[in-house]
Every structure is written in C-alpha cells, then in structure tokens.
Amino acid sequence: MMKKLIACSLVVALLSSCATIVSGSKQNVKFVSNPSAATVYVNNEIIGKTPLDVKLSRKKEHKVSIKLEGYQTYETKLTKKLNGWYFGNILIGGVIGLVIDPITGAMYNLSPKEITAEMKKGTAFNYKKGDVYVAVALEIDPNWPKVGQLEKIGN
C-alpha cells in the first residue's frame, strides 16, 4: 500500500507542470521563402536567412518580417494559442503546474508553426543618400497620389 502511495505521489509530482515538461518554454518555428535567402526579422531583430528553424519563446506573440531586395516585404504575426497540455495540471491536480506553466510560457503554442513566404516582386530599386530616399515600385497602388509622369523622348 505504501509503495502505491509513493508511486502515485511521484507521478503527480512529475506531471505537475505538464506543459512545461512536455512542450518546454520555447517552440521551434520554421521560416521558408520563395525565393530563398530572404532575411527574417522577429520583433525587429535579424535572426537569419531562409530556410531557417528557430526556437522562440512561447511567452509572447512575435512580429515577423521577411525581406528580400527586389521583393515586397512579407509581414505576419506569431500568435499565442492555449497549449492542451496545460489542462493536464487540472486533471492530475498539479497546482504547481497551474502556476509554473504560465510563468514559463509553456501554457501556450505559437501559431503558425511554419511560415512560408511567397515573395512578390515589388520594389525593383532602392536608393538612400542623406535625407533622400528613392524606391521604384513595380506594382502601383491606386490610392497613391500621382506626383508625376514619365514620358518617352524621341523614337
């Protein structure tokens, strides 16, 4: 009887923070782009070039930008979704886990788990010197005010 009580206590103690034990406080997120070798920014910090796998904190949402010269910037957000393992604390009675999992961020999953950026041709040329910034766009936004018109001279 005593052995069963010790075994049950051990199981409860081991599973008392289910999401932290099973999932951890960081999640692997995959970044892919077409074409590849685009620069990936997470929360405005460069983390590398595509294709790329990175472990990110589950604790907060992340702003993602993928940039490649000559293409429009791809932007998205990694959002937090409740991790189903968190409910293991309720089922098994792990009060410690109900506290630990939110602190570590393990009670969340980041969504999506993979970001695939289909880069669209956009800016063909960028030039910056001093306070002058020139960008040539290949796709025209109809909401932009027209400030000039290029005309062919001669033949």
Side-chain angles (χ1 to χ4, degrees), residues 4 9 12 33 49 58 61 66 83 89 95 105 117 125 133:
K4 286 183 181 180
S9 298
V12 169
S33 69
K49 294 196 179 280
R58 297 175 185 266
E61 295 186 336
I66 301 176
N83 184 345
N89 296 312
V95 176
F125 173 74
Y133 180 75

Side-chain angles (χ1 to χ4, degrees), residues 99-151:
V99 175
I100 299 295
D101 288 348
I103 291 171
T104 63
M107 72 178 285
Y108 301 108
N109 281 326
L110 295 174
S111 180
K113 294 177 183 178
E114 180 177 328
I115 294 176
T116 303
E118 288 295 329
M119 308 299 287
K120 292 182 180 179
K121 286 278 188 184
T123 305
F125 173 74
N126 283 325
Y127 177 75
K128 184 175 183 180
K129 185 174 183 179
D131 292 334
V132 178
Y133 180 75
V134 177
V136 177
L138 300 176
E139 290 184 24
I140 305 301
D141 184 338
N143 297 320
W144 290 348
K146 186 174 181 179
V147 294
Q149 177 69 42
L150 294 175
E151 292 183 15

Side-chain angles (χ1 to χ4, degrees), residues 30-102:
K30 186 174 185 173
F31 298 92
V32 180
S33 69
N34 183 23
S36 61
T39 305
V40 179
Y41 296 79
V42 175
N43 302 323
N44 297 319
E45 291 184 30
I46 297 174
I47 60 165
K49 294 196 179 280
T50 59
L52 178 68
D53 287 318
V54 178
K55 287 194 177 273
L56 297 174
S57 170
R58 297 175 185 266
K59 208 172 193 178
K60 62 181 181 174
E61 295 186 336
H62 301 279
K63 178 185 168 200
V64 175
S65 300
I66 301 176
K67 299 179 181 182
L68 184 62
E69 185 69 32
Y71 294 85
Q72 294 177 0
T73 299
Y74 178 91
E75 293 181 328
T76 190
K77 191 175 192 179
L78 291 169
T79 58
K80 299 185 304 185
K81 306 283 184 195
L82 194 59
N83 184 345
W85 283 107
Y86 182 65
F87 296 111
N89 296 312
I90 297 166
L91 297 174
I92 298 173
V95 176
I96 295 170
L98 291 171
V99 175
I100 299 295
D101 288 348

